[in-house]
């Protein structure tokens, strides 16, 4: 089989793929060893399902963490438009905050 060609192909892909393969191998090996040593089939099945679930979640997190730096790099290269909030308007007028000149009478 030919290797997958993906646009986000990183040097770490081979290490992650190898790690996932070892995890899948242990997911298959551990139940065999447990059965060999006399563990009940139900306990072995539960262990196998638990290992498979943990391996799947780890694989998902590894792949997501692999894509996250690429996404950050793409966002850094995209120019951002600065939107001024309600309190950051430009211009002059009575609606601007701060002290107002003119008049020493108390506000009441």
């Amino acid at each position: 089989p030919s290797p997958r060609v993906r646009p986000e192909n990183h040097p770490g892909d081979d290490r992650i793929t190898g790690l996932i393969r070892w995890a899948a191998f242990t997911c298959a090996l551990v139940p065999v060893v447990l059965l060999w040593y006399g563990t009940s089939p139900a306990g072995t099945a539960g262990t196998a399902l638990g290992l498979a679930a943990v391996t799947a979640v780890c694989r998902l997190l590894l792949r997501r963490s692999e894509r996250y730096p690429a996404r950050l790099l793409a966002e850094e290269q995209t120019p951002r438009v600065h939107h001024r909030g309600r309190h950051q308007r430009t211009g002059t007028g009575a609606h601007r905050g701060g002290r107002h000149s003119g008049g020493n009478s108390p506000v009441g």
Side-chain angles (χ1 to χ4, degrees), residues 71-83:
R71 191 178 329 143
L72 281 180
L73 182 63
E75 287 177 1
E76 286 177 359
Q77 293 174 352
T78 305
R80 292 186 181 192
V81 178
H82 181 71
H83 297 285

Side-chain angles (χ1 to χ4, degrees), residues 20-39 43-45 47-49 51-52 55:
I20 297 300
R21 285 182 181 167
W22 274 108
F25 173 72
T26 58
C27 284
L29 182 64
V30 167
V32 171
V33 170
L34 288 174
L35 286 173
W36 181 266
Y37 281 102
T39 306
T44 301
T47 302
L49 288 174
L51 284 172
T55 302

Side-chain angles (χ1 to χ4, degrees), residues 79-90:
R80 292 186 181 192
V81 178
H82 181 71
H83 297 285
R84 295 184 182 267
R86 178 177 156 201
H87 297 291
Q88 296 177 347
R89 292 183 183 146
T90 60

Side-chain angles (χ1 to χ4, degrees), residues 56-68:
V57 170
C58 289
R59 180 178 186 268
L60 175 77
L61 292 174
L62 281 169
R63 296 294 181 194
R64 184 177 285 180
S65 70
E66 206 175 39
R67 287 187 296 252
Y68 185 72

